């Protein structure tokens, strides 16, 4: 649009960039939700670690829920990644699987997963903030360029000097 001095194409470019910025806001929200979910998981699992056993924050019901989450995660992991059916998993309980299902290892795994989700959520949000800024700046300056071309179609729009 700028090379052809076409304000319509520049306005289309601006609108697409603003739309991209709006989509980025949605991804920022998703990143924040992922970070909040990760933080909640980390806090819940951290309260139940044997070193920091806080009986007010981690009762037996919560500990059983964490162990159930760990078992369901392991079953899902084995079904999707290892291609093992539930009956195969029940017959192939090895020391490694038993170790994963131990209370301390399970809580550590849940806590680590929460930390990973927290980090991913923060990283997605920060990167999308940068992307949003670029989209909005491109939309703004594209709109300004289109406005200049509508006011004076013969105006020089290139500010740099080309020495051909």
């Amino acid at each position: 649009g700028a090379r052809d001095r076409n304000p319509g194409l520049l306005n289309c470019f601006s609108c697409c960039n603003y739309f991209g910025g709006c989509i980025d806001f949605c991804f920022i929200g998703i990143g924040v939700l992922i970070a909040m979910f990760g933080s909640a998981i980390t806090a819940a699992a951290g309260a139940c670690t044997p070193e920091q056993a806080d009986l007010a924050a981690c009762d037996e019901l919560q500990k059983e829920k964490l162990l159930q989450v760990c078992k369901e995660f392991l079953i899902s992991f084995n079904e999707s990644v290892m291609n093992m059916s539930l009956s195969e998993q029940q017959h192939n309980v090895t020391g490694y699987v038993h170790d994963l299902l131990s209370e301390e290892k399970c809580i550590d795994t849940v806590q680590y997963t929460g930390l990973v989700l927290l980090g991913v959520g923060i990283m997605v949000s920060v990167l999308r903030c940068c992307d949003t800024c670029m989209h909005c700046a491109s939309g703004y300056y594209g709109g300004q360029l289109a406005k200049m071309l509508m006011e004076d179609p013969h105006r020089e729009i290139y500010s740099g000097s080309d020495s051909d």
Side-chain angles (χ1 to χ4, degrees), residues 13-14 17-18 133-143:
F13 170 80
S14 295
N17 275 299
Y18 283 134
C133 292
M134 293 298 171
H135 274 122
C136 291
S138 295
Y140 174 77
Y141 288 115

Side-chain angles (χ1 to χ4, degrees), residues 9-79:
L9 288 177
L10 283 170
N11 283 328
C12 181
F13 170 80
S14 295
C15 288
C16 288
N17 275 299
Y18 283 134
F19 180 71
C22 292
I23 297 296
D24 287 335
F25 271 120
C26 294
F27 281 114
I28 290 170
I30 290 170
V32 168
L33 289 175
I34 290 171
M36 289 171 49
F37 182 68
S39 177
I41 288 174
T42 302
C48 289
T49 57
E51 303 89 36
Q52 301 174 358
D54 183 5
L55 297 177
C58 181
D59 57 0
E60 286 300 316
L61 180 64
Q62 185 172 357
K63 201 177 268 192
E64 283 183 32
K65 285 181 181 179
L66 282 172
L67 291 172
Q68 185 63 33
V69 166
C70 186
K71 288 176 186 176
E72 288 176 11
F73 172 75
L74 184 63
I75 289 170
S76 298
F77 177 79
N78 283 334
E79 285 177 349

